Amino acid sequence: MNYEYRNIFEIPPGRGFEAGAADTPEVDLAAFYAEEFVRDDFGPMRDVATPEVVRHYTRLAAMNFGVDTGFYPLGSCTMKYNPKVNEDAAALPGFAALHPYAPARDVQGALQLIDELERYLVEICGMSAFTLAPAAGAHGELVGMLLTRAYHRKRGDDGRNVMLIPDSAHGTNPASARMAGFDVVAVASSADGVIDLDDLRTKLDESVVGMMITNPNTLGLFEPDILKVADAVHGVGGLLYYDGANLNAVVGRARPGDMGFDVCHVNLHKTFSTPHGGGGPGAGPVGVCDKLVDFLPVPRVVKKRRKYELDYGAPDSIGQIRSFTGNFGVLVRAYAYIRHLGAAGLRDVSGAAVLNANYLRAKVARFIEVAGTAPCMHEFVASSAKFGRGSAGDIDKGLIDVGFHPPTTYFPLVVPEALMIEPTETETKETLDEFAAALERIVTDLTADGHAYADAPLNAPVRRLDEAAAARNPILTQMMAEEGGT
Ligand SMILES: *Cc1c(COP(=O)(O)O)cnc(C)c1O
């Protein structure tokens, strides 16, 4: 295609862009695609001039809410400010313009970055080795499950099928365990919101493959009996999986390996500063203890005779789980973030994250019920149950109207009308005070009139949406909607 620059007055009025004549042969699409996928009617689309295109996208961008526009206390998701210098690092042409098929000898710097980032994560998590290939947290979980399965199979221990998961777990945990072919058995939470050891003991036997744990758990509480839990699960031959999607409370202070975990994943796009949300690229590296190293996915970055190579030759590997070496741009951001902060800086991250969460928790506990015992870690869960069913959603919408992103709502499932609040370490005391004041105003209004926010949001680009229908029956294209979708 030759995109020559044309004087705008040569372009027909109202048309933003004229592509030059194609210099490639015409292709018969019908030869490649089933008939129903080939469009010849593009519907009622009109040409638009350049300024109209610019205005359209600028308007859409201004409607979007992000960490760079306002406070975003979305629990479990760690929506913190991402230093822009990491974007500069990821955009360096020597990283961003690499071809994935470039031979190893030409990309030594990129392979060195992968090798060093693996080592940093090994140190941060107290594991023996890491793979950076998984593309997201849930993908990391699946890889961890496949590693667990491979470990038992290699030992000829094929009869196990039960993965234990606390009832407060993130929904991806049971889904990943199931995808690996395991049966999921829930372990109850105690009245304090942590793993109920007595309930766990009744579920432990030789059928247990392992247990998946988030620590601190989704209520923001550190499991006080984690070493006992690890001993108990290991006692029946199971492996312990650490869901470290959100490491913000423990980074630089406590390590999954030291808590007895055999395999873990971390989300670089939560703790390690890659912008996320909206389904963009992430990374969910997986760390393992000694006995699982041989099963890690290929390729492995190895150093031989002072040169880095990609090694595909591990006979016990679970295989390749992602094209090439993962989402490399995300790895560059995490590398830059870790190098910039250093060990002391990472410790400060968790310190400030936990301080901010406890400050906000103490403020809001004066006017709304909070689940679990204090102190919390990086997040806490409030409950609006006393205002009735649907009240958490109303509070969310009220917050949108005054410029805040809502907390995570209706999760974890063990708390009715849950509002899961994670302020993160990058927010100021003033922002936390403003948020607490806004929440208090909404609670006061609801106390006077339980339906005060039934119509909110009033000031957002869209009014109240049917979220359940949107999740169950997503309409993802304009055409489908026009063809009679709802
Ligand atoms: C975000 C999260 C996940 C899933 O991570 P994705 O990258 O969204 O797949 C898993 N567990 C917990 C606790 C999380 O917060």
Side-chain angles (χ1 to χ4, degrees):
M1 197 59 116
N2 64 65
Y3 292 110
E4 67 206 64
Y5 182 81
R6 310 245 311 244
N7 182 319
I8 65 164
F9 297 109
E10 288 172 27
I11 297 173
R15 183 175 293 190
F17 177 74
E18 277 263 289
D23 56 4
T24 48
E26 198 149 305
V27 172
D28 179 14
L29 288 178
F32 292 97
Y33 299 103
E35 202 181 331
E36 71 243 51
F37 297 125
V38 180
R39 271 199 205 175
D40 45 25
D41 172 14
F42 286 90
M45 287 195 209
R46 71 173 178 92
D47 286 321
V48 283
T50 305
E52 291 177 287
V53 176
V54 172
R55 285 172 198 150
H56 173 68
Y57 285 107
T58 305
R59 191 175 57 86
L60 287 182
M63 278 181 182
N64 201 10
F65 191 98
V67 179
D68 292 349
T69 49
F71 185 47
Y72 205 138
L74 194 66
S76 200
C77 295
T78 315
M79 304 304 284
K80 61 189 190 184
Y81 173 76
N82 304 295
K84 301 301 171 242
V85 65
N86 303 333
E87 298 301 314
D88 289 349
L92 288 172
F95 290 138
L98 287 184
H99 195 285
Y101 280 122
R105 65 167 188 277
D106 291 346
V107 294
Q108 288 291 303
L111 297 180
Q112 180 179 349
L113 184 144
I114 289 175
D115 182 54
E116 289 181 10
L117 181 57
E118 282 181 5
R119 287 167 202 272
Y120 298 155
L121 293 175
V122 159
E123 179 65 30
I124 289 168
C125 294
M127 309 305 287
S128 300
F130 253 89
T131 170
L132 306 183
H139 194 199
E141 291 172 25
L142 177 62
V143 168
M145 293 298 98
L146 297 178
L147 292 167
T148 302
R149 199 175 70 179
Y151 164 79
H152 288 302
R153 281 200 180 156
K154 179 78 182 178
R155 293 161 59 244
D157 196 353
D158 283 346
R160 296 172 186 265
N161 65 323
V162 170
M163 183 58 71
L164 299 173
I165 302 182
D167 57 8
S168 63
H170 196 264
T172 49
N173 291 186
S176 302
R178 200 67 207 110
M179 280 179 81
F182 302 140
D183 295 330
V184 172
V185 172
V187 176
S189 300
S190 69
D192 294 339
V194 295
I195 294 171
D196 182 334
L197 267 183
D198 293 333
D199 188 60
L200 171 63
R201 290 209 173 95
T202 66
K203 287 164 183 167
L204 283 174
D205 58 33
E206 303 286 303
S207 70
V208 169
V209 184
M211 181 164 181
M212 298 179 89
I213 300 175
T214 309
N215 190 27
N217 67 20
T218 59
L219 288 170
L221 305 175
F222 193 89
E223 295 289 347
D225 289 326
I226 190 61
L227 295 176
K228 282 188 200 150
V229 170
D231 281 348
V233 174
H234 287 149
V236 293
L239 294 184
L240 216 57
Y241 183 91
Y242 184 84
D243 177 343
N246 188 330
L247 215 61
N248 241 35
V250 295
V251 63
R253 286 168 197 272
R255 312 192 307 169
D258 299 336
M259 298 175 210
F261 286 91
D262 303 291
V263 51
C264 74
H265 87 268
V266 296
N267 279 15
L268 297 186
H269 50 288
K270 287 182 182 166
T271 311
F272 297 99
S273 159
T274 277
H276 65 113
V286 170
V288 293
C289 65
D290 276 342
K291 53 185 185 230
L292 292 173
V293 173
D294 291 345
F295 305 107
L296 282 173
V298 289
R300 303 283 306 140
V301 173
V302 294
K303 201 172 186 180
K304 287 186 188 151
R305 280 173 266 109
R306 309 221 309 277
K307 290 268 183 269
Y308 290 100
E309 288 173 22
L310 289 175
D311 182 4
Y312 285 85
D316 288 332
S317 165
I318 60 167
Q320 185 156 8
I321 49 94
R322 172 72 166 71
S323 49
F324 309 109
T325 46
N327 281 332
F328 185 66
V330 177
L331 308 183
V332 177
R333 289 177 181 87
Y335 181 88
Y337 182 72
I338 292 171
R339 288 296 297 260
H340 177 75
L341 286 175
L346 288 176
R347 218 180 129 78
D348 290 344
V349 164
S350 50
V354 171
L355 178 64
N356 272 358
N358 279 286
Y359 176 78
L360 192 55
R361 184 188 194 281
K363 281 209 104 161
V364 308
R366 293 197 294 238
F367 55 82
I368 191 167
E369 191 192 331
V370 174
T373 46
C376 63
M377 292 286 122
H378 59 300
E379 64 193 358
F380 63 93
V381 178
S383 168
S384 63
K386 77 168 185 189
F387 299 110
R389 214 174 133 83
S391 57
D394 284 358
I395 292 175
D396 274 0
K397 305 299 181 280
L399 286 168
I400 291 174
D401 269 341
V402 289
F404 294 108
H405 194 285
T408 296
T409 316
Y410 298 107
F411 176 77
L413 303 176
V414 289
V415 177
E417 300 299 318
L419 294 150
M420 184 191 211
I421 300 173
E422 178 181 7
T424 83
E425 77 282 6
T426 59
E427 298 299 330
T428 60
K429 177 175 171 298
E430 287 72 21
T431 300
L432 304 184
D433 289 341
E434 283 166 22
F435 176 77
L439 191 57
E440 184 167 16
R441 268 195 307 277
I442 292 171
V443 166
T444 307
D445 292 345
L446 282 177
T447 310
D449 169 8
H451 298 289
Y453 289 88
D455 290 332
L458 302 170
N459 305 328
V462 291
R463 296 291 300 276
R464 191 168 289 220
L465 303 174
D466 184 342
E467 289 161 14
R472 292 200 184 120
N473 181 26
I475 309 275
L476 301 174
T477 64
Q478 186 65 22
M479 284 303 280
M480 275 174 71
E482 280 167 9
E483 279 164 11
T486 44

